[in-house]
Amino acid sequence: MATTVKELKATARPKSGKGAARAERRAGRVPGVIYGNNQPPLTISIEDRELRQRILAGRFLTTLVDIDLEGKKHRVIPRDYHLDPVKDFPIHVDFLRLGEGATIRISVPLHVVKAETSPGVKRGGTVNIVAHAIELECGVESIPQYIEADVGALEIGHSLHLADVKLPAGVKALTREDATLVTIVPPSGYAEEQKAAAAAAAAGAAPGAAAAPAAGAAAPAAAPAAAAKAPAGGDKKK
């Protein structure tokens, strides 16, 4: 499913520089820039509360946005944002301007599905996500919100690779096809249990070999009986 286009209101920010940016933040706004598509950059500012909500909602960097700047809309995609290292609120945001029919390289999150039906998980294994995102190339109108990784058939010790995942039409993966995305990790003590099971199976195959000595052991038991008859015969001759 392609990403829906969100709308975001912005205000022109004619002044640039650290002093002007600090003034915007004191006014409850976050300074930003729109760049790209062979056009000059535009300095803007966005209401802090609204931008923070968009970031916390998730998928911010993979969502198309129409920025309404003084009545004119600019189709963009967020490219980067910076957070205050102490207070963790946004202090700057960059948007890439997108032309009609443009192609973009983007990192899209990986969503694991059907883990509850995985035979490996049912036997105590754990889903281990090796790659949390996939690098893609696609048109700006067909950016997927996420890529599904179906692990419903995975056993313990098995993996899902990029080649096993179906990508939407018009979307090309930039990661190699043999890249491991998800594995089913065995539970604690699983290796020891497997060794014990193998040893028990080997012991179960041994009864045929053990039967030979038991049959041979009957011969010595019969020998004394034969020897006991010899003296009886000798007494009759006398």
Side-chain angles (χ1 to χ4, degrees), residues 4-234:
T4 55
V5 181
K6 304 289 186 179
E7 188 168 311
L8 196 59
K9 289 188 178 296
T11 302
R13 183 168 57 93
K15 294 181 180 180
S16 59
K18 293 183 178 179
R22 282 195 289 266
E24 291 287 346
R25 295 184 192 109
R26 284 195 297 270
R29 304 185 65 80
V30 180
V33 176
I34 299 175
Y35 67 93
N37 199 31
N38 299 316
Q39 297 180 37
L42 295 174
T43 52
I44 62 172
S45 66
I46 299 169
E47 186 183 348
D48 175 85
R49 182 181 298 177
E50 186 172 6
L51 180 62
R52 197 181 306 193
Q53 287 176 348
R54 297 289 180 90
I55 293 173
L56 292 175
R59 304 194 186 108
F60 180 65
L61 296 178
T62 60
T63 302
L64 295 181
V65 179
D66 278 339
I67 291 184
D68 186 343
L69 182 61
E70 299 175 347
K72 184 179 179 180
K73 291 186 178 181
H74 300 262
R75 176 65 57 87
V76 301
I77 189 167
R79 261 321 195 193
D80 196 11
Y81 61 89
H82 301 281
L83 301 177
D84 184 276
V86 178
K87 299 180 180 178
D88 206 33
F89 55 73
I91 57 176
H92 188 84
V93 60
D94 293 332
F95 296 97
L96 175 64
R97 188 187 287 109
L98 301 172
E100 187 176 349
T103 299
I104 189 173
R105 292 188 174 192
I106 192 168
S107 180
V108 176
L110 187 76
H111 280 199
V112 174
V113 297
K114 299 184 181 179
E116 66 281 358
T117 64
S118 162
V121 171
K122 288 181 178 180
R123 293 173 58 201
T126 304
V127 175
N128 177 42
I129 303 176
V130 179
H132 290 271
I134 301 176
E135 295 293 327
L136 302 175
E137 184 177 81
C138 58
V140 295
E141 303 297 338
S142 58
I143 300 173
Q145 292 183 357
Y146 52 83
I147 298 298
E148 285 191 351
D150 185 344
V151 299
L154 289 189
E155 260 288 4
I156 289 176
H158 291 197
S159 302
L160 190 77
H161 301 90
L162 182 58
D164 304 320
V165 173
K166 185 178 180 180
L167 298 177
V171 175
K172 174 186 175 184
L174 300 177
T175 308
R176 68 181 193 276
E177 288 192 345
D178 63 346
T180 301
L181 304 180
V182 185
T183 62
I184 304 299
V185 179
S188 177
Y190 179 77
E192 288 73 12
E193 289 179 9
Q194 292 296 97
K195 288 180 182 178
K229 292 179 180 179

